[in-house]
Amino acid sequence: MPGEKIITFRIRRFDPEADSAPHWESYAVSVFEGMTVLEALHKIKAEQAPTLAWRSSCRMGVCGSCGMFVNQLPQLACQTQVLHLKADVISIEPLPNYPNVKDLVPDLQPLFEKHTQVKPFIIRLDDIQEMEHPAGEFLQTPEEREAFSQFTYCIKCGLCLAACPTVATDPHFLGPQALTQAYRYSADNRDDGVYNRLDSVDAFHGAYQCHMAGACSHACPKGVDPAFAIQLLKRTLVLDHFGFGKKEAQTAAVLPLADVVKALEEFAPPPRTVK
Amino acid sequence: MKNNQPARRLGLRGWVYAGKYSFERYLYLGHRLSGLGLVAYMVLHIVETANRMRGEQAWAELMALFASPPFKVIEYLLFALAVFHAMNGIRLFLVELAFFSGKPQEPVYPYKSSVLKHRPLTYVVMILAGLLMALGGSSLFFP
Ligand code: HEM
Ligand code: SF4
Ligand code: FES
């Protein structure tokens, strides 16, 4: 193919069942314009290193499984084009700040555990009846949704925790992903607000361990901007502490199911595109 | 699968290595180093002023030493450290309360993060820091 270029990949190999210590292997690959790091890994596995392990699935930046440390930056292998890295030698390691399962596979368990700690779901204590036995839908205006919509795009790839300098030394810091989700649910007008999450986010390893290095937002492949969500969370916590801006018991009213059905019926379905 | 490997934490390297991250990532490091530098100075300062207890003569000698050119330079570096820390501290104070950072918006590629959105503020505080450092330098070295 025109414009092909030989690139050397230095890959950190480690098989805990066979190796006592990790080691680096180099693989030369002929790379074409547009080829991603993930495609290069497939090529290396097919032609040079059949035992090479990594994790990937969707190969389109949606599943969040192919995060790795490419040239010292946490990146999605499937969204990173080799030639865009503008380097003849490319180093690939598993994501730092996580345990390493094998070769390029990190163990994302700490990410998921921290995510669950912030109760990433709607909590509505004033309307238990509706939560337990829904009779309709909580109403939300487009503006109310915009307040948190950006933070719903998180794919739980964990790149932000690999980038975060606090996570680098504090194993218990909730980290950008979980704190972002804490804000995402707290800012949702169908939720009671941050009060039900104070035990995790307003604690020693919570929001205030963020020192605004901004590395998470730099690394995030989905434009979620976790650093911003954390500062918004801090603002909410600080305002609350000083007794300002306390959200009234949140406003989302319930639209009865019959009305939801009626509203849906009023929508004309789009014209068929397939016979 | 249960995995018993310890996390490969970057540790202090994770604080120090700002690599290809944005300018503000370097300021994070600078803020930490200057903050620690200021704390170290406070300790030294207490040790230094305690010399007054050794009598007027010893104190006068020490003050003469501090008036010498090498100490002037050190004094200036300390001043510059404090100016950087204070100016960047003002930026952090504002940004950590989510000011100057825009509003949440649908992520559309190419993404513009809040760090980029508050960059004008970064420039303003850095230019202010530079001006203060120049002013302080001129009044210290060319009184
Ligand atoms: C006008 C003066 C000052 C301002 C505006 C200021 C501002 C700040 C701010 C906002 C932070 C928190 C940053 C973060 O989120 O990590 C901070 C951290 C810090 N400050 Fe200051 N500060 C000032 C003076 C001082 C002085 C005099 C000292 C030393 C005695 C000092 C030592 C520190 C230290 C050690 C940290 C922690 C650094 C870190 O965690 O990375 N600061 N400062
Ligand atoms: S916030 Fe961004 S970087 Fe962090 S887990 Fe979610 S998608 Fe990945
Ligand atoms: S393979 Fe799914 S995000 Fe890369």
Side-chain angles (χ1 to χ4, degrees), chain A residues 8-274:
Chain A
T8 304
F9 289 82
R10 289 190 68 241
I11 299 184
R12 186 183 185 276
R13 303 291 310 266
F14 180 53
D15 178 356
E17 279 162 20
D19 306 337
S20 55
H23 63 282
W24 290 82
E25 299 260 7
S26 291
Y27 308 96
V29 178
S30 173
V31 170
F32 54 84
E33 181 77 46
M35 187 176 191
T36 63
V37 170
L38 183 60
E39 288 172 302
L41 288 176
H42 276 293
K43 204 167 170 193
I44 291 169
K45 190 173 173 79
E47 296 169 2
Q48 305 183 46
T51 58
L52 180 63
W54 71 86
R55 186 166 46 215
S56 66
S57 173
C58 69
R59 50 104 183 93
M60 56 187 215
V62 168
C63 71
S65 47
C66 69
M68 42 192 83
F69 211 43
V70 182
N71 272 3
Q72 302 293 310
L73 267 188
Q75 315 196 47
L76 292 182
C78 68
Q79 275 199 355
T80 307
Q81 292 191 20
V82 180
L83 296 182
H84 286 183
L85 293 169
K86 298 197 170 37
D88 294 333
V89 180
I90 288 169
S91 70
I92 312 184
E93 295 174 61
L95 284 183
N97 298 340
Y98 294 97
N100 181 201
V101 177
K102 187 184 172 187
D103 292 342
L104 301 176
V105 184
D107 181 358
L108 296 184
Q109 195 62 27
L111 173 84
F112 303 137
E113 276 164 14
K114 289 167 181 180
H115 187 204
T116 55
Q117 275 181 41
V118 301
K119 304 186 193 143
F121 39 81
I122 302 275
I123 309 174
R124 187 67 184 244
L125 298 181
D126 68 336
D127 210 345
I128 301 268
Q129 178 62 24
E130 179 60 26
M131 291 298 288
E132 298 296 325
H133 306 284
E137 286 182 4
F138 287 125
L139 284 177
Q140 191 159 62
T141 65
E143 294 74 37
E144 283 164 344
R145 179 159 168 102
E146 248 166 51
F148 63 86
S149 187
Q150 177 172 22
F151 312 125
T152 65
Y153 287 82
C154 172
I155 57 172
K156 286 90 189 166
C157 62
L159 298 192
C160 48
L161 274 75
C164 173
T166 301
V167 178
T169 48
D170 179 359
H172 303 294
F173 176 46
L174 283 175
Q177 191 276 337
L179 288 168
T180 299
Q181 293 315 303
Y183 184 74
R184 175 255 173 273
Y185 284 95
S186 302
D188 190 323
N189 72 321
R190 296 165 298 182
D191 185 278
D192 269 349
V194 77
Y195 315 106
N196 296 314
R197 302 185 179 85
L198 290 180
D199 56 343
S200 54
V201 300
D202 197 13
F204 185 77
H205 297 288
Y208 299 113
Q209 287 289 13
C210 162
H211 298 281
M212 195 52 220
C216 54
S217 290
H218 190 103
C220 179
K222 302 306 284 183
V224 171
D225 203 351
F228 187 34
I230 301 175
Q231 312 325 311
L232 287 166
L233 181 62
K234 283 183 197 165
R235 164 143 81 183
T236 310
L237 292 172
V238 168
L239 287 181
D240 173 49
H241 181 82
F242 289 110
F244 300 118
K246 194 162 187 122
K247 278 195 221 165
E248 300 303 320
Q250 300 224 356
T251 45
V254 178
L255 184 68
L257 202 56
D259 290 1
V260 177
V261 173
K262 211 172 112 205
L264 283 175
E265 278 168 0
E266 279 166 16
F267 276 113
R272 286 183 74 100
T273 51
V274 183

Side-chain angles (χ1 to χ4, degrees), chain B residues 39-50:
Chain B
V39 170
Y41 165 70
M42 297 274 254
V43 176
L44 282 179
H45 186 62
I46 291 168
V47 173
E48 167 215 327
T49 46

Side-chain angles (χ1 to χ4, degrees), chain B residues 90-112:
Chain B
I90 292 171
R91 174 186 72 92
L92 285 173
F93 178 79
L94 292 169
V95 169
E96 293 194 28
L97 290 174
F99 293 110
F100 293 94
S101 306
K103 277 191 149 87
Q105 56 179 204
E106 292 294 311
V108 177
Y109 197 81
Y111 309 127
K112 189 173 181 195

Side-chain angles (χ1 to χ4, degrees), chain B residues 75-87:
Chain B
E75 193 182 356
Y76 180 68
L77 288 180
L78 182 73
F79 166 76
L81 214 62
V83 165
F84 167 79
H85 187 90
M87 287 296 118

